[in-house]
Amino acid sequence: MSDGYKEGEFTLAEKVEIPSGLLNAIVAGYQIALSKTLGAGAAAMTQLLIKHIGDFLEEMLEEIGFEVHNIEDLSKDLPEAFKMLGISDNVEVETPSNGTSTGDKYIIKINDSIFKPVARLLHKKGIPFTLSPESFIAAAIVRKAIRKKKPDAQVRVKVHPQKTPDEPLVIEVIVR
């Protein structure tokens, strides 16, 4: 193959489908391991991941064909991204009216997701679902869009814990 990969070697750009149940099992496994290893510190670890995975995740999204640098209007483009990626058809984004000023707050509500089954399973077992794949993806996309308009922006992402898995996942993004 001309792109440097050997036959039979997977790339991110390949369209390989795996059952969503298997994907949820993998995410649940990581969440359980994280919770058992770090206990209450699992939420802090998730915040570190959200903060540091953005650029890496952005590259991965672009490799699978989602052009993160084309994001213009978060209230329209973020829900479209989640739909295109097959994660959720029901995402709401509340954007501040004044652009990307210091202290601006974006609220993202993911009302349903392919990861909802893992949230339900973990809830039944009393394990907080802090390792939300939706939050990593939303954070990478929002950070890129904000920094496109304001390159020196400090972007803080907070995932609100769900009391029940039937609530929407709420992600708060604050620009500093």
Side-chain angles (χ1 to χ4, degrees):
M1 297 174 77
S2 62
D3 60 4
Y5 293 99
K6 295 181 248 169
E7 183 152 346
E9 190 174 298
F10 290 106
T11 68
L12 291 177
E14 290 182 70
K15 301 289 184 201
V16 177
E17 293 186 28
I18 63 171
S20 64
L22 176 59
L23 183 60
N24 274 282
I26 293 166
V27 171
Y30 280 115
Q31 180 66 66
I32 290 167
L34 185 66
S35 294
K36 291 208 180 281
T37 304
L38 298 176
M45 176 68 157
T46 301
Q47 287 304 311
L48 282 172
L49 286 170
I50 288 172
K51 181 178 180 181
H52 294 289
I53 199 171
D55 294 337
F56 179 72
L57 187 56
E58 180 186 322
E59 288 175 31
M60 293 180 77
L61 289 171
E62 296 221 354
E63 193 169 326
I64 64 170
F66 181 73
E67 303 294 329
V68 178
H69 62 272
N70 287 339
I71 298 290
E72 296 291 332
D73 177 0
L74 282 171
S75 61
K76 179 175 92 31
D77 294 338
L78 190 63
E80 283 300 314
F82 272 74
K83 194 176 287 186
M84 187 215 87
L85 294 169
I87 295 170
S88 177
D89 290 335
N90 194 351
V91 176
E92 301 169 43
V93 181
E94 297 172 20
T95 59
S97 59
N98 57 341
T100 54
S101 303
T102 300
D104 278 353
K105 188 187 300 186
Y106 295 77
I107 304 292
I108 301 156
K109 294 180 183 174
I110 302 170
N111 295 295
D112 202 4
S113 159
I114 62 168
F115 299 106
K116 187 69 87 170
V118 75
R120 285 191 181 109
L121 170 77
L122 292 169
H123 184 261
K124 283 181 190 173
K125 297 198 174 287
I127 300 170
F129 185 31
T130 62
L131 196 60
S132 155
E134 303 97 326
S135 63
F136 297 143
I137 294 166
I141 293 170
V142 170
R143 255 197 202 109
K144 179 66 174 187
I146 290 171
R147 288 187 178 153
K148 186 175 176 182
K149 294 177 183 174
K150 187 178 177 186
D152 61 339
Q154 295 295 315
V155 181
R156 184 174 162 268
V157 178
K158 178 181 179 185
V159 180
H160 293 272
Q162 294 172 284
K163 291 180 183 82
T164 72
D166 295 320
E167 293 178 353
L169 175 65
V170 178
I171 303 164
E172 183 179 290
V173 180
I174 300 172
V175 180
R176 296 180 195 254

